[in-house]
Amino acid sequence: MRADLIKRTGLERQETSLARSSHVFIVNLQGAVSHGEDVVDGRRLPFAPRRAGSLIYVPPGSEWLGWDEGEATAAYLLVSVQQDLAVDVFAEKMRHRLPNPRPAIGFRNSAVEMALQRIAMEVTHPDPLSVTMVESQAMQLIVQMARMNGFPHNPAKGGLSSFDLKHTLEMIDTSNRTPTLPDLANAVGLSRFHFWRAFKQSTGMTPYAFMATRRLEKSSEMLRTTTLSATQIALECNFGSSSHFTTAFKRAFGVTPTEFRNLCQT
């Protein structure tokens, strides 16, 4: 596999032409794209404005053409994962074939973003264990894309209704404090046990893990786009203290919030 940090300065418009025999992942580390055009394998895709944290995936053998315009200063991480590695992960370790992957331009996925951010940190601050860490994160990328592309499984039953799930997510995202399990369960009229089980079946995560991931996503976005201190961001994102924020952030991204901000600004 290969990882490259790409920076753009003084150029508001860029042309895209990418075709490789490997899985290609791109994460937007800095800068926003307001409009443009994306064509994959001859098919025009609806263009979605992209900002820091937006993701792009181009499967092996596909061709991505287009152009975009946005902020003059931008930075990206491009990771190429050889097709053989992806095949080995499923054929040898999971006893399954890799599902036919589909291209995705400008999507969001916290697990994919975190894996790419960890790779970015290792590329920027390498040590003797960086190669092993990068390879492990590459496997995470392949597994997550397989899940997004319909990896065969038995669909979970008994999850939250679409209305209750939407209401719960809005409550999590807009609350001034982190909702408790009883808060969320009462809001949809379920017992704590039944809500916990239904939420996990609907999202694949427990309520606590989901809210922790949401807080980390929000904090990383604020570190990239605001000048607020780490302590202020910790309070805004409902962390118990700045030390709790630093510990949780480093566990997820491999660096402290300050180191993460410095990376995004370089």
Side-chain angles (χ1 to χ4, degrees):
M1 65 160 294
R2 177 173 175 172
D4 297 295
L5 282 170
I6 303 168
K7 297 182 180 180
R8 182 180 76 190
T9 303
L11 181 66
E12 296 181 358
R13 178 186 173 103
Q14 69 175 4
E15 303 287 334
T16 301
S17 178
L18 188 150
R20 298 191 180 182
S21 59
S22 56
H23 298 266
V24 176
F25 299 85
I26 301 174
V27 59
N28 188 354
L29 298 174
Q30 179 185 5
V33 171
S34 55
H35 58 281
E37 183 179 50
D38 295 311
V39 179
V40 178
D41 297 333
R43 182 169 62 92
R44 181 178 285 108
L45 302 180
F47 184 84
R50 300 191 283 272
R51 55 190 175 85
S54 292
L55 304 166
I56 292 169
Y57 168 69
V58 181
S62 287
E63 182 182 40
W64 173 34
L65 302 173
W67 60 270
D68 61 61
E69 291 183 351
E71 296 179 15
T73 301
Y76 309 89
L77 174 71
L78 187 151
V79 174
S80 298
V81 182
Q82 293 180 348
Q83 193 169 8
D84 289 348
L85 173 62
V87 171
D88 288 346
V89 168
F90 286 84
E92 295 182 9
K93 297 183 179 181
M94 303 185 71
R95 301 291 187 257
H96 285 285
R97 289 184 56 200
L98 178 64
N100 293 327
R102 298 186 298 271
I105 311 296
F107 69 103
R108 300 302 294 258
N109 180 283
S110 59
V112 173
E113 181 182 355
M114 285 187 180
L116 288 169
Q117 293 285 6
R118 290 297 295 267
I119 292 174
M121 304 307 172
E122 297 296 334
V123 171
T124 307
H125 306 288
D127 62 30
L129 296 177
S130 290
V131 172
T132 301
M133 175 61 76
V134 168
E135 289 179 348
S136 69
Q137 296 303 315
M139 289 189 179
Q140 291 284 343
L141 292 174
I142 297 302
V143 170
Q144 290 300 327
M145 292 311 300
R147 287 174 170 171
M148 290 178 61
N149 280 275
F151 184 71
H153 65 286
N154 295 322
K157 298 180 180 179
L160 294 172
S161 69
S162 58
F163 177 83
D164 285 344
L165 180 60
K166 181 180 179 181
H167 180 62
T168 300
L169 298 184
E170 289 176 348
M171 187 173 175
I172 291 172
D173 290 336
T174 61
S175 178
N176 293 327
R177 60 177 179 81
T178 301
T180 65
L181 183 60
D183 291 337
L184 297 174
N186 291 337
V188 296
L190 294 175
S191 69
R192 285 179 289 178
F193 172 77
H194 285 96
F195 173 81
W196 186 95
R197 186 175 63 179
F199 186 91
K200 186 175 182 181
Q201 288 175 334
S202 295
T203 65
M205 303 172 71
T206 67
Y208 176 79
F210 184 90
M211 288 187 285
T213 299
R214 272 287 213 264
R215 291 200 302 272
L216 288 168
E217 290 174 349
K218 181 179 178 181
S219 66
S220 65
E221 180 71 13
M222 294 180 72
L223 286 166
R224 282 190 292 256
T225 61
T226 76
T227 59
L228 294 175
S229 68
T231 299
Q232 291 172 308
I233 291 174
L235 294 175
E236 286 283 334
C237 297
N238 297 325
F239 285 93
S241 65
S242 58
S243 60
H244 175 215
F245 171 46
T246 299
T247 300
F249 195 93
K250 187 169 185 179
R251 186 183 300 118
F253 291 99
V255 293
T256 66
T258 300
E259 291 169 338
F260 179 88
R261 171 172 275 168
N262 291 339
L263 172 67
C264 293
Q265 293 176 346
T266 56

